[in-house]
Amino acid sequence: MSQSKSTSIRDMKGRQRVAALTAYDYPTACILDQAGIPLILVGDSLGMVVLGYPDTTHVTMGEMEHHVRAVARAKPQGLLVADLPYRSCETPEQAVENARRLVAAGAEAVKAEGGQAILPQVQAILTDGIPFCGHLGMLPQSVLEEGGYHVKGKAEAERQALLADARALADVGAFAIVLELVTAVVAREISESISIPTIGIGAGSHCDGEILVVTDLFGTSGDYIPRHVKKSWRLSQQMRSAVVEWKESVVNPVPIG
Ligand code: KIV
């Protein structure tokens, strides 16, 4: 079942662009499913936009499993992908063990950050029968080593490394690759040179699809809206108004009669 769903995403290349979103809870997963989103990611962005951590390096396997279970209860038609969190994929054995835990929680595929550096882990996951989605470019789990979130692909060495990583992941059997904060030119070059969909986030408009952190789209992840979010619905303002209006109705009720 999950193999066929991941194959469907792979087969969208050149036919239909992939519109993917993250979800971390049951009601949001229901909304995404009703809207026909074909790929729902329980991303480790969970750490920042739901759990209040400063970055994704604090997210644990236990936290990922908890939120994957919640999203899986929505039984979405689209493919449910879960992130392997920080340091959960350091050896092939560990990668398989943790990918299996996410699948047991309800994930139908897993995603991990990195290219050739994690190829043995990716191969082990795929050999275990678990569909795999790559993630290249800016790797949020490396934000501390890299000292921030920087666009990738500007330097020639970076461009070549990204292309080699993307080809390696496609060759080994990944069904798609997320490209995060990659220059539009390099994202296009990668998209044109591999046979699986690239799903961009802050990577220009020439990828085979796009993914957004759903709370950036809703405008509920705080006041900061990343530049790549073309339209944020700023729902937190409406939520705040609802709370203020309700509080007012409790504190100063309109006298009846
Ligand atoms: O964790 C996440 O939400 C992600 C997206 C940014 C692609 O990996």
Side-chain angles (χ1 to χ4, degrees):
M1 179 64 172
S2 54
Q3 287 285 1
S4 71
K5 283 197 197 177
S6 61
T7 304
S8 303
I9 298 290
R10 194 194 62 204
D11 291 348
M12 287 170 80
K13 175 108 183 172
R15 295 195 172 88
Q16 194 183 333
R17 297 190 80 231
V18 182
L21 284 169
T22 65
Y24 316 97
D25 57 46
Y26 172 81
T28 307
C30 290
I31 292 169
L32 269 47
D33 188 38
Q34 286 152 13
I37 293 296
L39 189 161
I40 298 178
L41 170 70
V42 183
D44 60 357
S45 49
L46 162 75
M48 287 134 88
V49 303
V50 175
L51 301 179
Y53 294 140
D55 55 61
T56 62
T57 65
H58 303 265
V59 178
T60 65
M61 270 301 297
E63 287 164 342
M64 286 302 301
E65 288 174 294
H66 180 74
H67 288 269
V68 169
R69 277 190 215 105
V71 169
R73 282 184 202 111
K75 298 188 175 52
Q77 300 289 303
L79 179 70
L80 199 173
V81 184
D83 263 342
L84 280 158
Y86 189 61
R87 298 218 166 135
S88 68
C89 175
E90 310 241 276
T91 64
E93 295 72 26
Q94 191 198 31
V96 170
E97 183 188 325
N98 286 323
R100 283 184 185 174
R101 279 175 64 178
L102 294 173
V103 168
E108 297 167 309
V110 298
K111 172 167 87 57
E113 297 180 6
Q116 292 167 99
I118 62 160
L119 220 50
Q121 288 91 312
V122 177
Q123 264 163 332
I125 289 169
L126 287 163
T127 303
D128 205 51
I130 300 171
F132 182 83
C133 179
H135 185 150
L136 299 174
M138 196 289 136
L139 307 180
Q141 291 175 14
S142 306
V143 66
L144 300 178
E145 291 98 296
E146 302 213 344
Y149 299 93
H150 305 298
V151 175
K152 293 297 168 81
K154 290 181 181 166
E156 178 55 21
E158 259 177 19
R159 173 188 156 269
Q160 286 184 17
L162 282 166
L163 273 160
D165 281 342
R167 287 188 183 124
L169 288 173
D171 287 349
V172 86
F175 68 86
I177 302 176
V178 168
L179 296 180
E180 178 162 4
L181 295 187
V182 172
T183 65
V185 171
V186 174
R188 180 179 200 160
E189 197 178 353
I190 293 171
S191 306
E192 287 172 354
S193 69
I194 59 174
S195 59
I196 58 172
T198 56
I199 305 178
I201 175 161
S205 54
H206 296 290
C207 290
D208 301 298
E210 285 182 35
I211 185 161
L212 270 193
V213 169
V214 74
T215 53
D216 288 340
L217 175 65
F218 290 164
T220 54
S221 38
D223 291 334
Y224 171 71
I225 314 250
R227 243 185 308 165
H228 60 259
V229 182
K230 289 172 206 126
K231 178 179 178 185
S232 174
W233 287 67
R234 299 187 182 272
L235 298 185
S236 61
Q237 288 174 3
Q238 290 181 46
M239 291 159 85
R240 221 170 5 244
S241 299
V243 172
V244 167
E245 195 179 297
W246 174 80
K247 183 184 132 211
E248 184 57 24
S249 76
V250 172
V251 175
N252 296 310
V254 179
I256 305 165

